[in-house]
Amino acid sequence: MIGLGTAINIGLIIAGSLCGLAFGRFMKENLKQTLMVVSGIIVLLLGMSGAMQYMLVIVNGTLQTTGPLLMIISMVVGAIIGEVIDLNRWITVFGDWVKARTGNAGDPKFTHAFITASLTFTVGAMGVLGSIQDGLTGNYQTLLLKGILDGIIVMVMVSSMGKGALFSFIPVGITQWIITAMAHIAAPLMTPSAIDNLSYVGSILIFCVGIDLIWPGKIRIANLLPAIFVAMGLTFLL
């Protein structure tokens, strides 16, 4: 069934969030703060491991770096585009709208938790690749694995940051269902090299999300999102 993978992913995010809400009410504030840092460390390591997978290669028995030019151009150009459009502001506006619509207007942490969780679960390559596989063949195994990881991470996020993280299922669902629906159109562009570049830069953005979890407000991560599309475009230029 086409789209089943995203439905499973959404269900696991909601289930993990409900577990976090159930246990979070019994936690002391210092434990919640520690869990937030733990969430940041987990996301940092996920992003770092993903980036290193594509940055480091073994050539003739020696460890070398690859793709630094692509990474630099993608991040710089992506940041310029993102700042001009100011995606961070638009995502914040959407987060505030969700907060008001869900009756959480009095929760000062809601929007930050919503944005952080949404970016964590949407910028990674697993969501893009899994959605394409789901759209082309109905294979939802990648999204199932992603959903399990998302459920575990969001449980910790909700416990420490509040219920705003729960509603990250909205952008996750919208993004992945759109990619699934457009899989036949996007498939010719998703060459192995384009996928590698997307994964490379996407992992760097996940690393940035981890930094923001530990030191909130240091990076406007949403404004870096165009870097992913720049990286894919450079596949056909470099």
Side-chain angles (χ1 to χ4, degrees), residues 176-237:
Q176 292 182 183
W177 267 321
I178 288 175
I179 295 174
T180 297
M182 296 180 63
H184 289 288
I185 300 174
L189 300 177
M190 298 304 292
T191 64
S193 295
I195 293 172
D196 286 348
N197 291 344
L198 180 150
S199 303
Y200 181 14
V201 176
S203 295
I204 294 173
L205 296 189
I206 291 176
F207 180 84
C208 293
V209 172
I211 293 176
D212 191 63
L213 275 170
I214 300 174
W215 298 284
K218 297 298 183 181
I219 306 174
R220 290 190 291 272
I221 301 162
N223 286 355
L224 300 179
L225 287 176
I228 296 176
F229 303 100
V230 174
M232 291 180 61
L234 289 176
T235 304
F236 307 98
L237 298 177

Side-chain angles (χ1 to χ4, degrees):
M1 176 180 173
I2 303 299
L4 179 60
T6 295
I8 293 173
N9 196 165
I10 289 174
L12 289 171
I13 289 175
I14 294 174
S17 298
L18 294 177
C19 289
L21 288 173
F23 293 117
R25 70 181 69 180
F26 302 108
M27 295 179 183
K28 295 182 179 180
E29 191 61 34
N30 60 342
L31 177 57
K32 291 182 179 181
Q33 293 175 358
T34 300
L35 286 176
M36 186 181 299
V37 174
V38 168
S39 298
I41 294 172
I42 292 171
V43 176
L44 272 174
L45 291 175
L46 288 174
M48 185 185 303
S49 63
M52 291 298 101
Q53 178 182 351
Y54 297 97
M55 179 178 282
L56 300 179
V57 295
I58 297 178
V59 179
N60 297 325
T62 60
L63 191 63
Q64 299 181 13
T65 59
T66 182
L69 180 61
L70 178 137
M71 181 267 290
I72 293 170
I73 295 176
S74 298
M75 294 299 292
V76 172
V77 175
I80 293 173
I81 295 173
E83 287 293 339
V84 170
I85 302 174
D86 200 359
L87 292 174
N88 201 76
R89 181 174 69 86
W90 289 108
I91 292 179
T92 300
V93 169
F94 181 63
D96 288 337
W97 180 83
V98 173
K99 178 171 71 172
R101 288 290 181 174
T102 56
N104 293 286
D107 184 356
K109 297 181 179 180
F110 185 97
T111 302
H112 177 68
F114 171 78
I115 293 173
T116 302
S118 297
L119 292 173
T120 301
F121 304 141
T122 56
V123 301
M126 287 184 73
V128 176
L129 300 182
S131 298
I132 291 174
Q133 292 172 347
D134 194 6
L136 292 178
T137 66
N139 182 353
Y140 60 84
Q141 295 302 313
T142 300
L143 290 181
L144 173 61
L145 177 58
K146 176 181 180 291
I148 294 172
L149 293 173
D150 291 352
I152 295 171
I153 294 173
V154 79
M155 180 171 62
V156 179
M157 283 186 171
V158 169
S159 300
S160 57
M161 303 175 70
K163 66 178 67 174
L166 184 159
F167 292 94
S168 61
F169 77 85
I170 298 175
V172 169
I174 293 173
T175 302
Q176 292 182 183
W177 267 321
I178 288 175
I179 295 174
T180 297
M182 296 180 63
H184 289 288
I185 300 174
L189 300 177
M190 298 304 292
T191 64
S193 295
I195 293 172
D196 286 348
N197 291 344
L198 180 150
S199 303
Y200 181 14
V201 176
S203 295
I204 294 173
L205 296 189
I206 291 176
F207 180 84
C208 293
V209 172
I211 293 176
D212 191 63
L213 275 170
I214 300 174
W215 298 284
K218 297 298 183 181
I219 306 174
R220 290 190 291 272
I221 301 162
N223 286 355
L224 300 179
L225 287 176
I228 296 176
F229 303 100
V230 174
M232 291 180 61
L234 289 176
T235 304
F236 307 98
L237 298 177
L238 296 180

